[in-house]
């Protein structure tokens, strides 16, 4: 699966003599967010080989990973189970676009309290799930494991060796790790965590084979899922100027960060940036419902 690199033209980039291309991984699939498709590919293959008919994973109410798992399971004739953070959602999932779509794709949803959710990795909790659901292929929250990283090592292609810097947003860091492992010696990778992610440096180090990378920790906008009017206005302006949609949780924060670094002359004139669009656009509807309640501006669809 290969996606196009689309050139972005903005006055700021021309002024600073920096070229910027976006790899449109968001176009891989309407529901399986680009990087989630990569992360699931080899896991689905393995789940089929070991003949577990069921995928089980975890997520919050707007999780791209959860919906991607539901959709990939559906397309591969596997069953899926989602363990959802928040008991209160048991009565409200129909009003949530992500959860209702997952349900429509056949995912069984189990709602658990926040404290149970925090213990989801414990052997005890997993054993309880086994007794309730039988055998399943377990995908961690966010979907990061060795096979997920292997899938993300296929994002970059031979022709991408032309670029000096590759940028990607970061949740668990699995996608970034795959990219780091597949760059050439002359390339550098910048990760933009979408959450307060000091711990990520260590997590990612465990998965990677070189140190040609760093994390830009100043663009999380208050934490995971947090947004501001500034961020929303940026996403809307960027779309108006480039016709490229960004999501508020990951790619919007990253792109604002990249252009801020350009503005601050952090890239030498002549630098060629490749920015990975990891998708996440399915989450805009749900975010807009939250924004409406808070009387904040909405993201233009
Ligand atoms: C999940 C996700 C990420 C983060 O991926 P990780 O591998 O967890 O770092 C980035 N962008 C989008 C759109 C995502 O859905």
């Amino acid at each position: 699966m290969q996606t196009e690199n689309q050139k972005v033209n903005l006055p700021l980039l021309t002024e600073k003599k920096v070229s910027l291309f976006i790899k449109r991984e968001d176009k891989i699939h309407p529901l399986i967010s680009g990087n989630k498709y990569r992360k699931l590919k080899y896991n689905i293959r393995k789940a089929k080989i070991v003949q577990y008919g069921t995928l089980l994973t975890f997520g919050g109410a707007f999780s791209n990973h959860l919906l991607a798992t539901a959709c990939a399971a559906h397309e591969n004739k596997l069953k899926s189970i989602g363990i959802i953070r928040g008991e209160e959602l048991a009565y409200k999932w129909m009003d949530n676009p992500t959860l209702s779509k997952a349900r429509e794709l056949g995912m069984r949803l189990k709602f658990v309290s926040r404290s149970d959710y925090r213990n989801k990795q414990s052997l005890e909790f997993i054993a309880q799930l086994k007794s309730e659901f039988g055998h399943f292929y377990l995908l961690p929250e966010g979907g990061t494991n060795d096979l997920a990283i292997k899938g993300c090592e296929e994002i970059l292609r031979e022709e991408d060796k032309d670029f000096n810097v590759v940028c990607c947003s970061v949740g668990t860091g699995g996608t970034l790790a795959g990219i780091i492992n597949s760059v050439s010696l002359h390339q550098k990778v910048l990760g933009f965590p979408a959450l307060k992610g000091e711990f990520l440096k260590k997590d990612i180090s465990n998965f990677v084979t070189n140190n040609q990378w760093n994390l830009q920790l100043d663009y999380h906008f208050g934490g995971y899922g947090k947004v501001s009017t500034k961020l929303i206005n940026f996403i809307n302006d960027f779309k108006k100027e480039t016709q490229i949609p960004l999501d508020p949780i990951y790619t919007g924060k990253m792109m604002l960060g990249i252009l801020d670094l350009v503005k601050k002359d952090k890239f030498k004139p002549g630098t060629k940036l490749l920015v990975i669009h990891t998708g996440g656009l399915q989450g805009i509807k749900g975010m807009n419902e939250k924004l409406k309640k808070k009387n904040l501006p909405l993201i233009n669809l």
Side-chain angles (χ1 to χ4, degrees):
M1 173 88 53
Q2 183 167 8
T3 52
E4 70 167 316
N5 293 340
Q6 181 179 350
K7 184 161 205 282
V8 172
N9 295 304
L10 291 170
L12 172 71
L13 295 167
T14 314
E15 181 200 325
K16 301 289 187 184
K17 298 191 171 57
V18 170
S19 81
L20 192 160
F21 286 73
I22 298 193
K23 187 177 281 297
R24 297 296 305 268
E25 295 272 298
D26 57 306
K27 290 191 172 175
I28 288 181
H29 194 285
L31 293 176
I32 308 181
S33 206
N35 66 331
K36 301 305 187 288
Y37 178 95
R38 304 281 184 191
K39 294 173 86 167
L40 285 164
K41 176 179 166 183
Y42 289 106
N43 279 295
I44 297 267
R45 259 185 219 181
K46 183 167 173 201
K48 284 182 169 173
I49 291 167
V50 297
Q51 293 184 323
Y52 290 160
T54 304
L55 304 179
L56 182 142
T57 196
F58 309 93
F62 300 96
S63 167
N64 293 328
H65 164 68
L66 193 87
L67 182 58
T69 303
C71 193
H74 183 76
E75 288 182 0
N76 287 279
K77 302 191 171 58
L78 299 167
K79 291 183 190 153
S80 65
I81 300 166
I83 309 301
I84 317 297
R85 182 179 62 228
E87 285 164 310
E88 73 285 359
L89 290 162
Y91 311 101
K92 297 195 292 199
W93 62 265
M94 318 70 151
D95 304 326
N96 174 292
T98 304
L99 295 178
S100 54
K101 191 75 201 173
R103 191 71 200 83
E104 197 185 308
L105 290 163
M107 182 174 255
R108 247 175 107 174
L109 304 178
K110 178 181 166 76
F111 300 91
V112 302
S113 68
R114 274 147 226 273
S115 63
D116 279 353
Y117 192 84
R118 238 172 276 129
N119 289 327
K120 61 188 175 302
Q121 315 277 29
S122 74
L123 293 177
E124 208 184 331
F125 189 68
I126 303 289
Q128 203 181 311
L129 292 174
K130 288 235 161 91
S131 69
E132 185 172 349
F133 297 113
H135 275 297
F136 50 74
Y137 185 87
L138 181 75
L139 290 160
E141 179 182 42
T144 290
N145 58 18
D146 288 338
L147 289 177
I149 291 168
K150 176 173 150 99
C152 292
E153 289 171 3
E154 296 175 357
I155 293 173
L156 295 182
R157 318 285 303 192
E158 190 60 31
E159 359 9 312
D160 299 330
K161 293 197 189 316
D162 249 13
F163 293 96
N164 313 108
V165 180
V166 182
C167 301
C168 184
S169 63
V170 174
T172 61
T175 307
L176 193 77
I179 289 170
I180 292 167
N181 289 343
S182 60
V183 289
S184 306
L185 278 171
H186 68 279
Q187 294 178 307
K188 191 153 185 185
V189 182
L190 303 189
F192 292 79
L195 59 162
K196 293 180 189 165
E198 282 80 6
F199 64 93
L200 283 165
K201 188 150 200 292
K202 196 160 159 270
D203 285 8
I204 295 170
S205 302
N206 290 331
F207 284 119
V208 299
T209 51
N210 66 57
N211 50 18
Q212 296 160 238
W213 58 282
N214 68 52
L215 296 179
Q216 298 294 320
L217 296 169
D218 297 331
Y219 302 105
H220 57 67
F221 289 82
Y224 188 75
K226 300 264 169 43
V227 296
S228 68
T229 304
K230 178 183 168 192
L231 178 66
I232 292 165
N233 290 340
F234 170 78
I235 290 171
N236 287 335
D237 290 346
F238 189 83
K239 184 164 179 206
K240 213 186 306 168
E241 285 171 67
T242 66
Q243 279 75 54
I244 299 172
L246 300 171
D247 85 292
I249 314 281
Y250 294 102
T251 54
K253 293 180 179 181
M254 165 188 65
M255 189 57 75
L256 196 156
I258 293 168
L259 294 179
D260 189 54
L261 295 177
V262 172
K263 217 173 279 170
K264 293 175 174 158
D265 297 311
K266 301 289 180 190
F267 301 110
K268 276 189 282 199
T271 302
K272 290 182 177 177
L273 301 175
L274 179 64
V275 178
I276 311 301
H277 194 321
T278 40
L281 303 173
Q282 70 83 23
I284 293 178
K285 267 193 215 156
M287 177 58 79
N288 273 344
E289 278 164 29
K290 280 209 266 186
L291 294 171
K292 220 181 279 172
K293 283 182 198 147
K294 292 186 188 165
N295 267 324
L296 288 167
L298 303 189
I299 300 161
N300 298 329
L301 281 169

